[in-house]
Amino acid sequence: MKGLSGSRCCFYMGFLVGTLSLYFLRQVWFEMSMEPLVLGEGQDSSVAALAKERQARDSNNWRVEGAALINLNHLHHTGEDSRMADELYQKVRILCWVMTGPSNLQTKARHVKATWSRHCNVVVFMSSVDDPDFPTVGLGTGEGRDQLYWKTIRAFHYALEHHGNDADWFLKADDDTFIVVDNLRWVLSNHTPEEPLYFGKRFKPYAKQGYMSGGAGYVLSKEALRRFVEGFKTKVCTHTTPVEDLALGQCLEKMGVLAMDSRDTLQRETFHPFVPEHHLTGKFSKSFWYWSYCYYPIVEGPQCCSDLAVSFHYVDAELMYTLEYWTYHLRAYGYRHRYRPPLPQGLVERLAQTERPAVGTAGRGRTPASITVGADGDQSKTESGAKPLSDKGGKETLGKIPFDNNRTAVT
Amino acid sequence: MLSEGSSFMKGMALGGIFCLLLSLLGSFTPGMQSSPEDQHHHHHIKAPTNDELQSLSEPQMVELSQKVRVYCVIMVQPKVLVYWATAKDTWSKHCDQAVFYSSESAKALEAVDLNEQDEWTKLRKALKHAYDNSGDLRWFFVARPTSFAIIENLKYLILAKDANEPFYIGHAMKSGELEYVEYESGIVLSYEALRRLVNVFKDEEKCPERGRALWKLSEEKQLAICLKYTGVFAENGEDTQGKGLFNSKSVSSLIEDGMSKNPLDVVEGCCSDLAITFSGMSPNQMQVMMFGVYRLRPYGHNFHDSLIFFPPEGSDND
């Protein structure tokens, strides 16, 4: 009796266990099969190959000279025509020095090295301590806010002494500043390094001609740098104040260096002391110090910032790469930018436009009237200037770019 | 003892079979057999290369530029009013025609009121409306306002494609046997694909209006099933290097991924230069995207693209 009911019992138990276990197994299998596999992902191997390629490229592109990285080849991007940028690279040589410290090398300076600093002619990372591997220069100071002006003084002295002949302009940036070096070259292109000038985000208090915000980055001409160094030799400038950017501004003012207007031809700022989101979408409270500091009127919203922005500040590692992607990579195909920046004076106009003319298509509501010509408006001084010939069997291209009456054409 | 053990085993076996039978009956949905026309179809749509574009004659180029015009179907609801307003103020301005389709009307913003809460039914109604009102626009882009699209790059992708052929493009995903385009990263339909779709809407068996019975499939999958019946299959949109153009994440998110997975080449390994969509950004971030895509650039680097797209009128954030 007992044996029979026992085996019955076991049978039912077994049945229950079987049902339940297979139910759960089925759920798991179902869930796994529902997990979508993405098509078209053969990218992993190509990404690894890219990384290898990148390392090889890097060793060919940079010559390490002491603690400085000398750029041998101007960075090029596939599919683009960077003749203008190359010209400026040769003509407007910039030494970038980045204010950093031993504790920031891996968290901040490393990302600067991987992104925007690659576009400088020379880059030097300034720290309190020598680091031959990164590499960084040891300035022999301490770290901290009160050491900032000391570091700045020593850094500029170092730059003039070791690299005075390698560059025409000397940029100071923090390790959380993002710089678009090509746009800086455009800003500087109509000036010569023999003039005593300096550019940056201009603030007005405490100095007659104003001074440049430290975090947003500022750049000195070679003559300005010489005068800065001279100022310390002759004791005209002092070492005592910790407010780096103001102290520098006051010193330069004493030495007859001019604080310049770095805004674009539409009076839009190029150097920015905050992140893009803050300038483009933020509303500064009326009591915020910024209102009383800015030398030029603050514009909120999209017109705050030039298309040819030069700098942003308080940029964390993720935003560094994001900005590099937005600036140098992501674009809208064929888009004809509203802002047409003028060609720097004295630059040879490249007329060798052997590419086929582009076809214009209208934005919303307009129909394309005729074939428009060449998308390289950046290079033409006037809108109705010379038009390139097509190289396809000598076909001549048609007239001018058809501007609608209500198009907001901006020069 | 042994008899008890064997009874237990028998019980387990029977229980398992019983369970399987039940689940098979439960998951059985009529009409899901894979069609006999399941031959090899292309899964990837690549953007045209420079050589391909160069080989086109000028009149051909003009013709293409006139045909590649996009009707944007943007599915909104009052719940996401801020995104709706942002889409209206940002990327949708670059569509040749952008129409907002809402579940219910909102006082603040204009939309086609679908008067419907069910996601799949809404999509059906919107697509039908789009088909009926597209005029001479031949390409349709379906998105929610939480996505961000660069329409010029979409036009570049479909530039040399014939809208009279069925195309159903986006970020192609696979779920079991079904290949579908992910909604969040935007869905592209050619005129022919939409025509076939609108036709199969009439078939309640193949493409029911209220969705499939036992468990609700998402509308992106329902769409794929209906299209599959008409012989239209999902294709993954890629650039000339094979990088996906449709992203369901934001740039920051993809960069973040890159920083951990690919720290030596974060930017290169991230996303395509001619990416079409991103998603998951806040409204403020979308405004910043407008700056990043349409304005911010390094002076002196020019591209000789085969087409020019002019900026839209009455806008200042691009």
Side-chain angles (χ1 to χ4, degrees):
Chain A
M1 273 310 143
K2 206 167 181 184
L4 209 68
S5 67
S7 78
R8 258 283 154 87
C9 189
C10 285
F11 180 81
Y12 289 136
M13 267 180 63
F15 189 84
L16 205 67
V17 171
T19 316
L20 286 171
S21 53
L22 244 92
Y23 177 74
F24 284 118
L25 272 169
R26 181 97 182 38
Q27 279 294 91
V28 172
W29 177 83
F30 184 74
E31 247 149 68
M32 279 177 70
S33 77
M34 279 316 238
E35 210 155 282
L37 301 165
V38 183
L39 289 181
E41 242 193 12
Q43 304 172 27
D44 300 316
S45 53
S46 59
V47 164
L50 271 172
K52 274 212 187 90
E53 205 182 285
R54 159 83 180 262
Q55 276 180 301
R57 250 189 292 136
D58 267 1
S59 53
N60 291 334
N61 277 337
W62 293 94
R63 183 176 83 237
V64 182
E65 239 179 50
L69 295 164
I70 315 266
N71 201 340
L72 298 171
N73 301 306
H74 189 203
L75 260 179
H76 275 165
H77 202 62
T78 43
E80 72 175 24
D81 168 11
S82 51
R83 284 173 292 182
M84 190 63 55
D86 288 344
E87 275 274 300
L88 283 177
Y89 182 82
Q90 306 292 340
K91 277 204 71 193
V92 186
R93 299 177 306 160
I94 302 180
L95 178 147
C96 307
W97 72 261
V98 182
M99 174 93 83
T100 186
S103 55
N104 282 359
L105 290 188
Q106 291 311 314
T107 51
K108 295 187 175 185
R110 177 165 68 102
H111 306 296
V112 169
K113 188 163 175 226
T115 56
W116 64 261
S117 66
R118 298 173 307 152
H119 304 273
C120 308
N121 297 73
V122 182
V123 60
V124 187
F125 289 87
M126 304 287 189
S127 173
S128 50
V129 175
D130 248 343
D131 183 328
D133 294 317
F134 193 85
T136 68
V137 167
L139 297 169
T141 63
E143 284 294 329
R145 272 200 97 79
D146 57 325
Q147 297 290 304
L148 280 179
Y149 194 35
W150 257 123
K151 287 173 86 174
T152 306
I153 297 164
R154 295 244 172 119
F156 273 122
H157 276 73
Y158 179 96
L160 185 62
E161 195 183 314
H162 290 84
H163 301 284
N165 293 321
D166 297 332
D168 310 306
W169 302 86
F170 299 81
L171 166 82
K172 175 260 176 183
D174 285 345
D175 52 19
D176 61 352
T177 309
F178 184 88
I179 306 280
V180 185
V181 187
D182 292 79
N183 291 344
L184 178 56
R185 290 199 181 93
W186 178 77
V187 171
L188 300 175
S189 59
N190 285 335
H191 305 273
T192 58
E194 285 76 41
E195 301 166 69
L197 315 166
Y198 90 123
F199 294 81
K201 165 70 184 181
R202 204 163 171 188
F203 282 158
K204 64 181 179 213
Y206 313 124
K208 251 193 303 255
Q209 63 167 4
Y211 66 98
M212 305 305 173
S213 152
Y218 49 75
V219 59
L220 274 61
S221 67
K222 183 140 44 184
E223 179 56 29
L225 179 56
R226 285 201 196 103
R227 293 195 187 191
F228 180 70
V229 170
E230 181 71 18
F232 282 93
K233 210 159 77 178
T234 59
K235 309 273 198 264
V236 172
C237 296
T238 53
H239 300 119
T240 51
T241 170
V243 187
E244 164 242 335
D245 44 13
L246 176 59
L248 184 113
Q250 288 170 333
C251 172
L252 289 177
E253 195 172 290
K254 283 190 214 157
M255 297 305 296
V257 174
L258 289 169
M260 302 294 286
D261 181 358
S262 55
R263 295 176 302 168
D264 70 13
T265 52
L266 292 181
Q267 277 77 55
R268 297 182 301 194
E269 296 273 9
T270 53
F271 288 79
H272 301 101
F274 301 110
V275 295
E277 191 172 332
H278 207 146
H279 287 283
L280 290 163
T281 64
K283 297 253 173 287
F284 299 109
S285 125
K286 287 295 183 266
S287 58
F288 188 43
W289 59 264
Y290 193 55
W291 287 100
S292 52
Y293 266 58
C294 288
Y295 193 91
Y296 303 108
I298 294 179
V299 179
E300 286 175 318
Q303 298 310 309
C304 65
C305 315
S306 174
D307 289 19
L308 301 184
V310 172
S311 75
F312 293 101
H313 186 215
Y314 298 117
V315 176
D316 64 13
E318 196 183 277
L319 189 56
M320 286 271 174
Y321 294 107
T322 304
L323 280 166
E324 184 81 4
Y325 173 67
W326 280 338
T327 313
Y328 288 95
H329 293 259
L330 184 63
R331 67 191 184 91
Y333 184 83
Y335 189 66
R336 193 170 187 280
H337 299 107
R338 284 186 204 276
Y339 183 52
R340 323 293 294 156
L343 201 71
Q345 297 155 14
L347 262 179
V348 177
E349 220 185 290
R350 300 288 194 184
L351 282 176
Q353 285 158 14
T354 52
E355 296 81 11
R356 65 172 295 147
V359 175
T361 176
R364 211 180 336 165
R366 276 177 288 155
T367 49
S370 64
I371 301 174
T372 62
V373 158
D376 35 8
D378 276 5
Q379 297 187 15
S380 58
K381 245 197 176 117
T382 58
E383 300 297 355
S384 53
K387 292 297 173 279
L389 291 171
S390 162
D391 66 337
K392 300 278 178 199
K395 261 192 298 172
E396 208 164 305
T397 57
L398 300 173
K400 297 183 248 192
I401 298 171
F403 285 148
D404 280 355
N405 291 328
N406 43 9
R407 198 174 92 68
T408 49
V410 181
T411 0
Chain B
M1 229 28 192
L2 203 67
S3 66
E4 284 175 3
S6 68
S7 318
F8 187 82
M9 287 311 206
K10 277 188 238 168
M12 252 187 71
L14 268 176
I17 297 170
F18 176 69
C19 181
L20 276 170
L21 271 171
L22 264 181
S23 61
L24 270 167
L25 283 168
S27 70
F28 181 68
T29 44
M32 273 293 288
Q33 295 92 356
S34 50
S35 51
E37 29 161 304
D38 222 341
Q39 355 83 322
H40 167 77
H41 38 257
H42 299 277
H43 289 299
H44 312 267
I45 291 277
K46 284 211 165 134
T49 60
N50 263 336
D51 295 331
E52 282 165 20
L53 291 175
Q54 297 283 348
S55 71
L56 294 168
S57 71
E58 220 143 74
Q60 280 180 312
M61 203 35 121
V62 181
E63 206 190 318
L64 284 181
S65 75
Q66 284 168 345
K67 282 205 270 185
V68 70
R69 297 172 71 220
V70 179
Y71 182 113
C72 292
V73 174
I74 307 171
M75 307 294 294
V76 296
Q77 47 186 319
K79 218 168 47 175
V80 291
L81 202 69
V82 188
Y83 283 99
W84 179 349
T86 305
K88 199 168 154 78
D89 190 41
T90 58
W91 61 267
S92 71
K93 290 188 281 195
H94 292 252
C95 303
D96 291 276
Q97 194 172 350
V99 184
F100 292 82
Y101 293 88
S102 180
S103 51
E104 54 193 277
S105 60
K107 283 211 189 79
L109 293 166
E110 211 181 281
V112 172
D113 184 4
L114 300 170
N115 198 14
E116 179 63 62
Q117 291 296 329
D118 179 70
E119 289 300 322
W120 169 234
T121 320
K122 267 199 286 181
L123 187 57
R124 284 174 63 112
K125 285 188 171 181
L127 288 172
K128 176 92 175 56
H129 183 276
Y131 178 72
D132 293 334
N133 292 279
S134 54
D136 60 349
L137 299 178
R138 287 283 166 272
W139 289 93
F140 301 85
F141 175 68
V142 188
R144 294 191 276 237
T146 43
S147 304
F148 186 99
I150 305 169
I151 300 296
E152 288 80 5
N153 292 346
L154 171 57
K155 291 185 176 183
Y156 172 59
L157 175 67
I158 57 180
L159 184 54
K161 308 278 182 282
D162 184 2
N164 292 321
E165 299 271 324
F167 286 104
Y168 167 42
I169 309 170
H171 183 202
M173 312 266 268
K174 208 168 162 73
S175 164
E177 278 299 317
L178 182 69
E179 280 166 27
Y180 65 97
V181 167
E182 187 184 38
Y183 202 161
E184 197 57 31
S185 41
I187 304 172
V188 182
L189 291 166
S190 67
Y191 184 80
E192 176 60 20
L194 186 58
R195 190 192 67 77
R196 294 192 192 185
L197 183 66
V198 168
N199 233 14
V200 84
F201 279 162
K202 302 177 191 150
D203 189 333
E204 262 299 302
E205 269 214 14
K206 291 185 181 161
C207 195
E209 184 162 348
R210 290 287 149 185
R212 315 206 144 255
L214 262 154
W215 49 72
K216 282 291 286 291
L217 281 178
S218 62
E219 53 277 17
E220 57 195 358
K221 290 185 188 142
Q222 304 241 31
L223 182 67
I225 293 169
C226 293
L227 279 168
K228 204 169 171 181
Y229 276 119
T230 68
V232 182
F233 302 96
E235 294 179 279
N236 198 46
E238 299 166 1
D239 66 11
T240 50
Q241 274 107 32
K243 272 195 197 165
L245 294 169
F246 296 84
N247 300 290
S248 57
K249 290 181 163 185
S250 63
V251 177
S252 326
S253 184
L254 290 164
I255 292 283
E256 205 186 315
D257 290 346
M259 282 172 71
S260 53
K261 284 188 223 153
N262 194 15
L264 292 174
D265 236 331
V266 179
V267 179
E268 276 293 333
C270 160
C271 342
S272 175
D273 289 11
L274 293 168
I276 297 173
T277 57
F278 293 98
S279 190
M281 290 177 281
S282 71
N284 274 351
Q285 286 167 339
M286 293 208 216
Q287 290 286 359
V288 182
M289 240 343 226
M290 290 298 279
F291 179 73
V293 173
Y294 292 108
R295 296 175 56 202
L296 181 64
R297 59 197 186 275
Y299 184 79
H301 296 257
N302 295 313
F303 292 90
H304 300 291
D305 296 329
S306 303
L307 281 197
I308 298 180
F309 297 111
F310 289 105
E313 285 162 56
S315 175
D316 80 335
N317 57 1
D318 49 18

